[in-house]
Coordinates of all heavy atoms in Angstrom, one line a residue:
P1 N -275.3 68.2 64.1 CA -276.1 68.1 62.8 C -275.8 69.3 61.9 O -275.8 69.1 60.7 CB -277.6 68.2 63.3 CG -277.5 67.6 64.7 CD -276.2 68.1 65.2
D2 N -275.6 70.5 62.4 CA -275.2 71.6 61.6 C -273.9 71.3 60.8 O -273.8 71.6 59.6 CB -275.0 72.9 62.4 CG -276.3 73.5 63.0 OD1 -277.3 73.2 62.4 OD2 -276.2 74.2 64.0
R3 N -273.0 70.8 61.5 CA -271.7 70.5 60.9 C -271.8 69.4 59.8 O -271.2 69.5 58.7 CB -270.7 70.1 61.9 CG -269.3 69.7 61.4 CD -268.5 70.9 61.1 NE -267.1 70.5 60.8 CZ -266.3 71.2 60.3 NH1 -266.5 72.5 60.1 NH2 -265.0 70.8 60.1
I4 N -272.6 68.4 60.1 CA -272.9 67.3 59.1 C -273.5 67.9 57.9 O -273.1 67.6 56.8 CB -273.7 66.2 59.8 CG1 -273.0 65.5 60.9 CG2 -274.1 65.2 58.7 CD1 -273.9 64.6 61.7
A5 N -274.5 68.7 58.1 CA -275.2 69.3 56.9 C -274.3 70.2 56.1 O -274.3 70.1 54.9 CB -276.4 70.2 57.4
D6 N -273.4 70.9 56.8 CA -272.5 71.8 56.1 C -271.5 71.0 55.3 O -271.2 71.2 54.1 CB -271.8 72.7 57.1 CG -270.8 73.6 56.4 OD1 -271.2 74.4 55.5 OD2 -269.6 73.6 56.8
R7 N -270.9 70.0 56.0 CA -269.8 69.2 55.3 C -270.3 68.3 54.2 O -269.6 68.1 53.2 CB -269.1 68.4 56.3 CG -268.4 69.2 57.4 CD -267.4 70.2 56.8 NE -266.1 69.8 57.1 CZ -265.0 70.4 56.5 NH1 -265.1 71.3 55.6 NH2 -263.8 70.0 56.9
L8 N -271.5 67.8 54.3 CA -272.1 66.9 53.3 C -273.0 67.7 52.3 O -273.5 67.0 51.4 CB -272.9 65.8 54.0 CG -272.1 64.9 54.9 CD1 -273.0 63.8 55.5 CD2 -271.0 64.2 54.2
R9 N -273.1 69.0 52.5 CA -273.9 69.8 51.6 C -275.3 69.3 51.5 O -275.8 69.2 50.4 CB -273.2 70.0 50.3 CG -271.9 70.7 50.4 CD -271.2 70.8 49.1 NE -269.8 71.3 49.3 CZ -269.2 72.2 48.5 NH1 -269.8 72.5 47.4 NH2 -268.0 72.6 48.8
L10 N -275.9 69.0 52.6 CA -277.3 68.6 52.7 C -278.1 69.6 53.5 O -277.6 70.3 54.3 CB -277.3 67.3 53.4 CG -276.7 66.0 52.8 CD1 -276.6 64.9 53.8 CD2 -277.4 65.6 51.5
P11 N -279.4 69.7 53.2 CA -280.3 70.6 54.0 C -280.3 70.1 55.4 O -280.3 68.9 55.7 CB -281.7 70.4 53.4 CG -281.4 69.8 52.0 CD -280.1 69.0 52.1
L12 N -280.2 71.1 56.3 CA -280.2 70.8 57.8 C -281.4 69.9 58.2 O -281.3 69.0 59.0 CB -280.2 72.1 58.6 CG -280.2 71.9 60.1 CD1 -279.0 71.0 60.6 CD2 -280.2 73.2 60.8
M13 N -282.6 70.2 57.7 CA -283.8 69.4 58.0 C -283.6 68.0 57.6 O -284.1 67.1 58.3 CB -285.1 70.1 57.4 CG -285.4 71.4 57.9 SD -285.6 71.5 59.7 CE -287.1 70.6 59.8
T14 N -283.0 67.7 56.5 CA -282.7 66.4 56.0 C -281.8 65.7 57.0 O -282.1 64.5 57.4 CB -282.1 66.4 54.6 OG1 -283.0 67.0 53.7 CG2 -281.8 65.0 54.2
V15 N -280.8 66.4 57.4 CA -279.8 65.7 58.4 C -280.5 65.5 59.7 O -280.3 64.4 60.3 CB -278.6 66.6 58.6 CG1 -277.7 66.1 59.7 CG2 -277.8 66.7 57.3
L16 N -281.3 66.4 60.2 CA -282.0 66.3 61.5 C -282.9 65.0 61.4 O -283.0 64.2 62.3 CB -282.8 67.5 61.9 CG -282.0 68.7 62.3 CD1 -282.8 70.0 62.4 CD2 -281.2 68.4 63.5
A17 N -283.7 64.9 60.3 CA -284.6 63.8 60.2 C -283.8 62.5 60.1 O -284.2 61.4 60.7 CB -285.4 63.9 58.9
T18 N -282.6 62.5 59.4 CA -281.8 61.3 59.3 C -281.2 60.9 60.6 O -281.2 59.7 61.0 CB -280.7 61.6 58.2 OG1 -281.3 61.9 57.0 CG2 -279.8 60.3 58.1
V19 N -280.7 61.9 61.3 CA -280.1 61.6 62.7 C -281.2 61.0 63.6 O -281.0 60.1 64.3 CB -279.5 62.8 63.3 CG1 -279.1 62.7 64.7 CG2 -278.2 63.2 62.5
R20 N -282.4 61.6 63.5 CA -283.5 61.1 64.4 C -283.8 59.6 64.0 O -283.9 58.8 64.9 CB -284.7 61.9 64.2 CG -285.9 61.5 65.1 CD -287.1 62.4 65.0 NE -287.4 62.9 63.7 CZ -287.3 64.2 63.3 NH1 -286.9 65.1 64.2 NH2 -287.6 64.6 62.1
Y21 N -283.8 59.3 62.7 CA -284.1 57.9 62.3 C -283.0 57.0 62.8 O -283.2 55.9 63.3 CB -284.2 57.9 60.7 CG -284.1 56.5 60.2 CD1 -285.2 55.6 60.3 CD2 -282.9 56.0 59.6 CE1 -285.1 54.3 59.8 CE2 -282.9 54.7 59.1 CZ -283.9 53.9 59.2 OH -283.8 52.6 58.7
L22 N -281.7 57.4 62.6 CA -280.6 56.6 63.0 C -280.5 56.4 64.5 O -280.1 55.3 64.9 CB -279.3 57.2 62.5 CG -279.0 57.2 60.9 CD1 -277.8 58.0 60.6 CD2 -278.9 55.8 60.4
N23 N -281.0 57.4 65.2 CA -281.1 57.3 66.7 C -282.1 56.2 67.0 O -281.9 55.4 67.9 CB -281.4 58.6 67.3 CG -281.4 58.5 68.8 OD1 -280.5 58.1 69.5 ND2 -282.5 59.0 69.4
E24 N -283.3 56.3 66.4 CA -284.4 55.4 66.7 C -283.9 53.9 66.3 O -284.4 53.0 67.0 CB -285.6 55.7 65.9 CG -286.3 57.0 66.4 CD -287.4 57.5 65.4 OE1 -287.6 56.9 64.3 OE2 -288.0 58.5 65.8
E25 N -283.1 53.8 65.4 CA -282.6 52.5 65.0 C -281.4 52.0 65.9 O -280.9 50.9 65.7 CB -282.2 52.5 63.5 CG -283.3 52.6 62.5 CD -284.3 51.5 62.7 OE1 -283.8 50.3 62.6 OE2 -285.5 51.7 62.8
G26 N -281.0 52.9 66.8 CA -279.9 52.5 67.7 C -278.5 52.6 67.0 O -277.5 52.1 67.5
L27 N -278.4 53.3 65.9 CA -277.1 53.4 65.2 C -276.3 54.6 65.6 O -275.1 54.6 65.5 CB -277.3 53.4 63.7 CG -277.9 52.1 63.1 CD1 -278.3 52.3 61.6 CD2 -277.0 51.0 63.3
V28 N -276.9 55.6 66.1 CA -276.2 56.8 66.6 C -276.8 57.2 67.9 O -278.0 56.8 68.3 CB -276.3 58.0 65.6 CG1 -275.7 57.7 64.3 CG2 -277.7 58.6 65.5
R29 N -276.1 58.0 68.7 CA -276.6 58.5 69.9 C -276.1 60.0 70.1 O -275.1 60.3 69.5 CB -276.2 57.7 71.1 CG -274.7 57.6 71.3 CD -274.3 56.8 72.6 NE -272.9 56.6 72.7 CZ -272.1 57.5 73.3 NH1 -272.7 58.6 73.9 NH2 -270.9 57.4 73.4
R30 N -276.8 60.7 70.9 CA -276.3 62.1 71.2 C -275.4 62.0 72.4 O -275.7 61.3 73.4 CB -277.6 62.9 71.5 CG -277.3 64.4 71.3 CD -278.6 65.1 71.4 NE -278.5 66.0 72.5 CZ -279.4 66.6 73.1 NH1 -280.7 66.4 72.8 NH2 -279.2 67.5 74.1
L31 N -274.3 62.8 72.4 CA -273.4 62.9 73.5 C -274.1 63.6 74.6 O -274.8 64.6 74.4 CB -272.1 63.6 73.1 CG -271.2 62.9 72.1 CD1 -270.0 63.8 71.8 CD2 -270.7 61.6 72.7
E32 N -274.0 63.1 75.8 CA -274.7 63.6 77.0 C -274.3 65.1 77.2 O -273.1 65.5 77.2 CB -274.3 62.8 78.2 CG -275.1 63.2 79.4 CD -274.9 62.3 80.6 OE1 -274.6 61.1 80.4 OE2 -274.9 62.8 81.7
G33 N -275.3 66.0 77.4 CA -275.1 67.4 77.6 C -274.6 68.2 76.4 O -274.0 69.2 76.5
S34 N -274.8 67.6 75.2 CA -274.3 68.2 74.0 C -275.3 67.9 72.8 O -276.2 67.1 72.9 CB -273.0 67.6 73.6 OG -272.5 68.0 72.3
N35 N -275.1 68.7 71.7 CA -276.0 68.4 70.5 C -275.2 67.6 69.5 O -275.6 67.4 68.4 CB -276.5 69.7 70.0 CG -275.5 70.6 69.4 OD1 -274.3 70.5 69.7 ND2 -275.9 71.5 68.6
R36 N -274.0 67.1 69.9 CA -273.1 66.3 69.0 C -273.6 64.9 69.0 O -274.1 64.4 70.0 CB -271.7 66.4 69.5 CG -271.1 67.8 69.5 CD -269.7 67.9 70.0 NE -268.8 67.5 68.9 CZ -268.4 68.3 67.9 NH1 -268.9 69.5 67.8 NH2 -267.5 67.9 67.0
V37 N -273.5 64.3 67.8 CA -273.9 62.9 67.7 C -272.7 62.0 67.3 O -271.8 62.5 66.7 CB -275.0 62.7 66.7 CG1 -276.3 63.3 67.1 CG2 -274.6 63.2 65.3
V38 N -272.8 60.8 67.8 CA -271.7 59.8 67.5 C -272.4 58.5 67.1 O -273.6 58.3 67.4 CB -270.8 59.6 68.7 CG1 -270.0 60.8 69.0 CG2 -271.5 59.0 69.8
L39 N -271.6 57.6 66.5 CA -272.1 56.3 66.3 C -272.3 55.6 67.6 O -271.5 55.8 68.6 CB -271.1 55.4 65.4 CG -271.0 55.9 64.0 CD1 -269.9 55.1 63.3 CD2 -272.2 55.8 63.2
A40 N -273.4 54.8 67.7 CA -273.7 54.1 69.0 C -272.6 53.1 69.3 O -272.0 52.5 68.4 CB -275.1 53.5 68.9
D41 N -272.4 52.9 70.6 CA -271.4 51.9 71.0 C -271.9 50.5 70.5 O -273.0 50.1 70.5 CB -271.4 51.8 72.5 CG -270.9 53.2 73.1 OD1 -270.1 53.9 72.4 OD2 -271.3 53.5 74.2
R42 N -270.9 49.7 70.1 CA -271.2 48.4 69.5 C -271.4 47.4 70.6 O -271.9 46.3 70.3 CB -270.1 47.9 68.6 CG -270.1 48.6 67.3 CD -269.1 48.1 66.4 NE -267.9 48.9 66.6 CZ -266.7 48.4 66.6 NH1 -266.4 47.1 66.3 NH2 -265.6 49.1 66.8
D43 N -271.2 47.7 71.8 CA -271.4 46.7 72.9 C -272.9 46.7 73.4 O -273.2 45.9 74.3 CB -270.5 47.0 74.1 CG -270.7 48.3 74.7 OD1 -271.6 49.0 74.3 OD2 -269.9 48.7 75.6
G44 N -273.7 47.5 72.8 CA -275.1 47.4 73.0 C -275.6 48.1 74.2 O -276.7 47.9 74.7
D45 N -274.8 49.0 74.8 CA -275.3 49.7 76.0 C -276.2 50.9 75.7 O -276.7 51.5 76.6 CB -274.1 50.1 77.0 CG -273.2 51.1 76.3 OD1 -273.5 51.5 75.2 OD2 -272.3 51.5 77.0
G46 N -276.3 51.2 74.5 CA -277.2 52.4 74.1 C -278.7 52.0 74.1 O -279.0 50.8 73.9
P47 N -279.6 52.9 74.2 CA -281.0 52.6 74.2 C -281.4 52.1 72.8 O -280.9 52.6 71.8 CB -281.6 53.9 74.5 CG -280.6 55.0 74.2 CD -279.3 54.3 74.4

């Protein structure tokens, strides 16, 4: 999220809220054991 905020020139709190929303919608997921986020797998195995 820090990197996303930096690269897109957005407030970190905005990015954190956006990532949380996208995660709830199943569009992104957090990499296991990391704070990095990726787009959710298209095969539907994400929560």
Side-chain angles (χ1 to χ4, degrees):
D2 289 337
R3 179 76 170 171
I4 296 169
D6 181 57
R7 297 306 247 171
L8 299 180
R9 298 179 186 214
L10 294 169
L12 178 58
M13 295 304 291
T14 299
V15 171
L16 290 171
T18 301
V19 167
R20 182 175 39 246
Y21 166 75
L22 293 171
N23 181 56
E24 290 169 357
E25 291 298 309
L27 296 173
V28 301
R29 65 179 175 84
R30 204 170 119 196
L31 292 176
E32 189 173 326
S34 172
N35 66 343
R36 300 179 78 77
V37 294
V38 296
L39 292 176
D41 297 329
R42 283 184 271 143
D43 60 5
D45 65 359

